[in-house]
Amino acid sequence: MDTKTMSSSPSPASASPPRLMPGRASADLKEAIVTTLRYAVGKNPEFARLHDWYAATAITLRDRLVDRWFASTDHTYRQRRKRVYYLSLEFLIGRLLTDNASNLGLLDEVKAALTAHGIDFEAVKALEPDAALGNGGLGRLAACFMESMATVGVPAYGYGIRYDFGLFRQVIRDGWQVELPEDWLAFGNPWEFERPEVAYEIGFGGHVDAEDNPDGTVSYVWQPSERVLAQAYDTPVVGWEGKTVNTLRLWAARPITPIRLDAFNRGQHVDAFAEQVRASSISRVLYPDDSTAEGQELRLRQEFFFTSASLQDLIRRHLTQYDDLTSLPEAANIQLNDTHPALSVLELTRILVDLNGFALDEAFEITKATLCYTNHTLLPEALETWSVPLFERLLPRHMQLVFEINAMHLAAVRKRPDVTLDLVRSVSLIDETHGRRVRMGNLAFIGSHKVNGVSELHGELMRETVFKDLNTLFPDRITHVTNGITMRRWLVECNPDLAHLITDAIGPQWIKDAERLKELERFATDQAFLERFARVKQGAKQRLAVFVAQRTGIRLDPEAMFDIQIKRIHEYKRQLLNILETVHLYEAMRAEPERDWTPRVKIFAGKAAASYHRAKLIIKLINDVARVVNRDPTVRDKLRVVFLPNYNVSLAEMLVPAADLSEQISTAGMEASGTGNMKFQANGAITIGTMDGANVEISRHVGLDNILIFGLTADAVRERWTNGHNPRAVIEGDGNLRQVLDAVGGGVFSPDEPGRYGPIVHDLYESDYFMVAADFADYSATQRKAASMFRRPAQWRHMSLHNTANAGWFSSDRSIREYADNIWHAPMDPG
């Protein structure tokens, strides 16, 4: 909801409709769905297809949100409450039908209403596409945070891009990842409201005019050579019990002139739409391949497009309530989710200076007091940088501001008694070492009043590594807020059997206050409860086995250990370590077929960036190993390997409840936090992982007896990087690893191309940057320990319950309360 409501609007206390008795509610919904089907979808119920029923149900639920949405907005305006603006290039929201129905307390009523019409709710639910607005943890975190902000009552807007095709739809052909368009909007999006009246011009290129003022100062006027429109689409985001509804506003790129009619009339029918094609390309695809100059330019255009539109929008909203922009920091807090929206530092400063007459130093102070930055990576190469020539050509005024802000910044640095040339070079906004590049991480840091990591370890490592010198200059700026997950999505909705068991045991209050899950610990010796707990897990595994058989034709034994690694494919996440250890297990099983092995199902899922060729080669290796293993009669009842394509939120909701073992095996010091670890933990999986990211805090909460930790620590990894690591000696000293690499490198799994995996093996011998060889032996031993423990069901169930009971602290509600209290200083009103 955007427009300020009139004074006659209902007050928050009276806006929510009264709760109906279940029978009455389902009867009302039954009638409302048919009405919507007729008058909004335009279908006669007698001839409506299943997708028509989905659209009608979604719109009916959306209508139930609108009054609460208006009331939440009106309450924020009336109380002049501080708003949080969450800027993120990704929002991986997944399907919303169950989410919204559950948060409104209408899920059972919706199911009953559809059943009364002879329609199966699960079939309707399956038709909803996953909104293709994100790639992995970054986008899913943003979605969890939006839901939690509504649940705890923080007034908030999420800002992002309405991608037509999102990331991509992953298919596997002959074991290779192939990227296809993810056309999630093919049937429209019933949850959103199009806002053609909310559109802002976004400029690119051109030049900057300098104009002399009577007082001797100089004003700068940017004259863009190209302009596009950013048009808003709003999706209501409802919190638990529907008391607060916030807004996710996504921008779609549109041309200012949709067609050059003169060209069209001259027969230039394609050229006439060139402006439309160029403009709309900005919001076509998430993360276009940036291995080309054209891809890099499009990525920068995307980031500026949504940043500028969002800032123009929130400033317009601010000025409807306040006289000027000096009060912006008291009324708004803008959270930058990674460096993608870091251009906010420059664009907000430009708006204040060029359009509102502020002096640069005052404008920058207002900007800094309004912005906060969440860092998500410790990899220096993952902190965005842009070449100065590209930046200057596309955003000439902003390039001027980079130089001006950098001059102010470095002038202050040079006044320090401990200043050195190396310090100045390190903290500069311009990297001069490999061609001049704008450092977006440094820009976000100096342009924000708080910079947070996303786990305790991450916050510490930020101070010691990527922002060490900036931390020296601004020692109070870095903090941390450990990530979290919404238990509504990742327990109540994706694992209703477990949620019902928990509610039967301790009551429903845990859904809103997740730390009450701790009360489950009193059932740790209750054998009847533990049996029920185990049956819930077994039911989830049986459902997943059916799903995998339908999707891949591979039959799984639900009695086997389900060992699952699902996340973006990246070398630091070490899917390679997992599959190499799987090869070792396979060879051991073949060598001793008579041994009483613990049956194991290895499941992988995740997408590799389109231009990340090594990650795509790892996917191919996983599929090649799966092909060999799954066809070998020697291990048929003992080992299965599965790669499930097109990983998304809905697939995760199927996999997470079924996991026995959760693979969180990143190179220590490289994973900022992780949230998959939290989802698996809440659903009773045992974590096998390194002391990295939030694994550190999970181990503290569950105790080292209830988690399987292995491998080098972050300090040990850095010591090897600094003082030298000899992977060849490690491999030659480990007969198991050497045998695995001989098989992989020798073509055992790629007889059609024996040298296919030679580059992987070569890099492990010569570099092993991600410490795969270094951690292999300990990982393998820990896997054997996990297999042994799994064969003792009583112990495994106790560990599993202990993990679920201690998952409550990892709720995103807790994360948002920490942000609100310690960073945003924003109000909370959970109702």
Side-chain angles (χ1 to χ4, degrees):
M1 180 61 183
D2 179 61
T3 306
K4 184 177 179 181
T5 50
M6 300 296 290
S7 59
S8 59
S9 298
S11 67
S14 63
S16 299
R19 287 300 296 267
L20 303 172
M21 296 298 290
R24 171 70 184 280
S26 59
D28 284 0
L29 279 169
K30 175 185 173 184
E31 181 179 340
I33 289 171
V34 170
T35 301
T36 303
L37 186 65
R38 288 180 179 275
Y39 298 110
V41 182
K43 286 293 184 75
N44 186 323
E46 185 178 352
F47 303 106
R49 298 184 178 184
L50 203 57
H51 195 280
D52 301 320
W53 286 101
Y54 158 67
T57 305
I59 294 170
T60 301
L61 279 175
R62 188 190 70 176
D63 291 347
R64 295 293 193 276
L65 292 173
V66 169
D67 285 340
R68 303 166 192 252
W69 194 22
F70 290 173
S72 295
T73 302
D74 189 55
H75 180 51
T76 301
Y77 270 105
R78 289 177 184 275
Q79 301 297 320
R80 296 171 74 92
R81 303 176 76 209
K82 188 175 189 178
R83 291 182 177 86
V84 171
Y85 295 102
Y86 198 85
L87 272 62
S88 178
L89 203 60
E90 298 184 38
F91 285 96
L92 196 57
I93 58 178
R95 293 169 172 167
L96 293 178
L97 183 62
T98 302
D99 200 50
N100 286 339
S102 178
N103 277 6
L104 287 170
L106 293 173
L107 184 58
D108 291 339
E109 289 82 353
V110 169
K111 291 179 178 179
L114 287 172
T115 299
H117 291 297
I119 304 297
D120 177 44
F121 174 81
E122 293 300 323
V124 169
K125 172 185 170 183
L127 284 177
E128 181 177 8
D130 274 55
L133 300 170
N135 178 28
L138 183 83
R140 186 54 233 169
L141 179 75
C144 283
F145 277 6
M146 287 300 298
E147 194 267 4
S148 281
M149 281 189 276
T151 293
V152 305
V154 172
Y157 266 75
Y159 281 120
I161 296 179
R162 183 182 182 267
Y163 303 102
D164 295 334
F165 299 106
L167 188 64
F168 56 80
R169 179 165 58 90
Q170 180 195 57
V171 297
I172 302 298
R173 291 179 181 165
D174 191 29
W176 292 99
Q177 171 180 292
V178 177
E179 301 90 24
L180 298 177
E182 184 72 273
D183 195 7
W184 71 286
L185 291 171
F187 290 92
N189 179 7
W191 301 108
E192 69 184 7
F193 290 88
E194 183 176 5
R195 304 292 194 197
E197 77 284 3
V198 181
Y200 300 95
E201 286 193 7
I202 312 297
F204 298 102
H207 63 276
V208 179
D209 290 333
E211 298 179 353
D212 294 326
N213 298 319
D215 61 0
T217 60
V218 178
S219 297
Y220 296 94
V221 180
W222 180 23
Q223 305 288 357
S225 59
E226 177 189 0
R227 298 177 188 271
V228 302
L229 283 178
Q231 181 187 321
Y233 287 77
D234 289 352
T235 300
V237 179
V238 60
W240 179 245
E241 297 178 330
K243 292 184 173 65
T244 298
V245 183
N246 286 326
T247 303
L248 175 60
R249 174 160 284 182
L250 303 177
W251 303 105
R254 301 286 184 259
I256 291 178
T257 304
I259 180 175
R260 287 179 51 217
L261 196 57
D262 57 339
F264 191 89
N265 289 335
R266 288 196 302 268
Q268 298 171 343
H269 301 146
V270 174
D271 292 345
F273 291 96
E275 182 180 342
Q276 182 187 64
V277 171
R278 181 168 171 79
S280 60
S281 67
I282 294 173
S283 56
R284 288 290 190 205
V285 175
L286 169 65
Y287 296 146
D289 184 343
D290 60 0
S291 61
T292 65
E294 294 80 5
Q296 292 167 19
E297 178 176 333
L298 178 55
R299 179 80 166 265
L300 183 55
R301 286 165 63 89
Q302 285 183 326
E303 294 184 4
F304 180 69
F305 165 80
F306 102 92
T307 296
S308 178
S310 304
L311 291 172
Q312 291 184 63
D313 191 53
L314 70 89
I315 286 172
R316 176 202 55 79
R317 186 175 302 108
H318 179 81
L319 291 175
T320 64
Q321 284 191 281
Y322 300 89
D323 294 333
D324 58 45
L325 292 172
T326 56
S327 57
L328 187 62
E330 287 72 47
N333 204 296
I334 301 171
Q335 188 72 38
L336 310 180
N337 192 28
D338 214 351
T339 55
H340 309 130
L343 286 164
S344 297
V345 177
L346 304 174
E347 177 66 350
L348 182 52
T349 302
R350 183 191 73 85
I351 290 171
L352 292 169
V353 172
D354 294 358
L355 305 183
N356 290 276
F358 285 86
L360 177 60
D361 55 353
E362 184 183 8
F364 190 67
E365 287 304 313
I366 293 172
T367 294
K368 187 168 60 178
T370 307
L371 299 184
C372 301
Y373 161 48
T374 299
N375 172 270
H376 285 277
T377 182
L378 293 166
L379 304 177
E381 64 272 20
L383 289 173
E384 284 188 308
T385 64
W386 297 106
S387 73
V388 167
L390 169 62
F391 203 101
E392 194 160 29
R393 176 169 56 81
L394 204 62
L395 301 169
R397 177 58 179 141
H398 299 78
M399 191 70 252
Q400 288 182 342
L401 288 169
V402 169
F403 289 129
E404 290 186 72
I405 292 169
N406 200 37
M408 288 195 308
H409 166 54
L410 295 184
V413 173
R414 289 190 176 98
K415 292 178 182 178
R416 292 176 58 93
D418 58 347
V419 66
T420 64
L421 181 58
D422 286 343
L423 176 66
V424 172
R425 287 172 174 168
S426 171
V427 302
S428 174
L429 299 184
I430 305 295
D431 183 357
E432 307 277 0
T433 56
H434 300 96
R436 305 181 79 203
R437 301 186 68 85
V438 182
R439 293 167 162 156
M440 303 309 287
N442 284 14
L443 177 65
F445 191 107
I446 72 164
S448 300
H449 65 276
K450 280 294 179 183
V451 177
N452 73 280
V454 289
S455 70
E456 182 179 329
L457 176 63
H458 181 216
E460 294 171 1
L461 292 176
M462 283 169 61
R463 295 183 182 94
E464 297 170 7
T465 59
V466 289
F467 294 127
K468 179 179 179 180
D469 289 330
L470 284 167
N471 182 61
T472 300
L473 301 179
F474 308 103
D476 298 325
R477 192 160 299 185
I478 294 178
T479 184
H480 80 273
V481 177
T482 300
N483 284 345
I485 60 171
T486 167
M487 296 297 174
R488 273 78 61 182
R489 167 78 71 163
W490 294 108
L491 237 177
V492 176
E493 296 166 32
C494 81
N495 200 346
D497 291 345
L498 180 55
H500 290 151
L501 176 61
I502 294 170
T503 298
D504 287 347
I506 65 173
Q509 293 81 10
W510 67 272
I511 300 174
K512 192 171 183 179
D513 181 8
E515 295 200 48
R516 298 188 70 161
L517 287 170
K518 192 79 173 174
E519 296 173 25
L520 289 172
E521 289 196 326
R522 69 174 185 263
F523 296 95
T525 58
D526 186 327
Q527 294 306 313
F529 182 86
L530 291 171
E531 286 287 342
R532 293 175 65 195
F533 190 75
R535 285 198 297 273
V536 167
K537 177 66 72 175
Q538 200 63 19
K541 293 171 69 174
Q542 289 167 353
R543 288 189 293 276
L544 179 58
V546 171
F547 174 83
V548 170
Q550 293 172 344
R551 178 75 72 92
T552 69
I554 300 172
R555 297 175 64 84
L556 306 181
D557 177 9
E559 298 297 326
M561 176 193 286
F562 279 22
D563 178 349
I564 300 179
Q565 186 176 19
I566 49 173
K567 50 186 75 242
R568 177 168 54 95
I569 308 298
H570 196 289
E571 288 169 279
Y572 89 83
K573 294 180 182 288
R574 299 204 294 189
Q575 287 89 353
L576 179 60
L577 175 61
N578 191 348
I579 196 62
L580 292 179
E581 203 285 325
T582 302
V583 172
H584 168 54
L585 177 61
Y586 168 61
E587 291 179 335
M589 286 180 170
R590 286 204 305 165
E592 299 182 84
E594 74 288 350
R595 184 174 164 185
D596 188 17
W597 294 96
T598 300
R600 179 88 64 129
V601 173
K602 303 284 290 189
I603 298 177
F604 298 81
K607 297 178 180 179
S611 60
Y612 194 173
H613 301 296
R614 175 55 58 87
K616 295 168 85 169
L617 186 61
I618 291 170
I619 291 175
K620 174 62 173 171
L621 175 60
I622 293 169
N623 282 295
D624 277 350
V625 171
R627 174 178 48 80
V628 172
V629 169
N630 296 339
R631 291 177 180 177
D632 190 334
T634 307
V635 300
R636 181 162 294 165
D637 298 326
K638 303 180 184 73
L639 181 62
R640 283 284 184 271
V641 182
V642 180
F643 186 93
L644 290 171
N646 206 39
Y647 178 58
N648 56 21
V649 175
S650 296
L651 182 56
E653 290 171 345
M654 175 70 69
L655 289 162
V656 166
D660 294 306
L661 194 65
S662 162
E663 298 272 355
Q664 310 298 329
I665 59 175
S666 55
T667 309
M670 288 193 172
E671 184 71 82
S673 170
T675 53
N677 45 10
M678 304 169 189
K679 294 160 193 165
F680 283 114
Q681 178 204 358
N683 284 271
I686 310 304
T687 299
I688 181 170
T690 52
M691 273 296 193
D692 197 24
N695 288 356
V696 175
E697 285 144 302
I698 290 175
S699 69
R700 187 180 304 148
H701 281 265
V702 304
L704 290 174
D705 291 340
N706 298 293
I707 190 171
L708 296 165
I709 295 296
F710 74 93
L712 298 172
T713 63
D715 287 342
V717 168
R718 279 187 288 163
E719 190 276 332
R720 293 206 181 192
W721 284 339
T722 302
N723 298 326
H725 170 44
N726 186 354
R728 182 174 293 275
V730 172
I731 294 167
E732 290 176 352
D734 185 338
N736 292 330
L737 178 55
R738 188 173 66 252
Q739 182 179 354
V740 167
L741 295 182
D742 286 347
V744 171
V748 169
F749 300 98
S750 56
D752 57 323
E753 187 184 345
R756 179 181 296 149
Y757 302 114
I760 289 177
V761 174
H762 175 272
D763 286 353
L764 290 177
Y765 270 96
E766 300 302 325
S767 168
D768 191 30
Y769 181 78
F770 297 98
M771 300 293 157
V772 171
D775 276 348
F776 181 86
D778 198 6
Y779 178 56
S780 183
T782 307
Q783 284 283 11
R784 300 295 77 76
K785 180 180 178 181
S788 175
M789 295 168 69
F790 188 73
R791 298 178 73 91
R792 299 193 291 273
Q795 179 187 5
W796 194 268
R797 291 170 189 172
H798 182 274
M799 292 172 64
S800 179
L801 177 63
H802 200 70
N803 270 269
T804 298
N806 286 278
W809 189 82
F810 297 96
S811 164
S812 50
D813 297 351
R814 186 269 313 154
S815 301
I816 290 301
R817 290 188 183 101
E818 289 188 15
Y819 274 102
D821 286 340
N822 302 327
I823 295 178
W824 302 331
H825 306 295
M828 289 180 282
D829 184 16

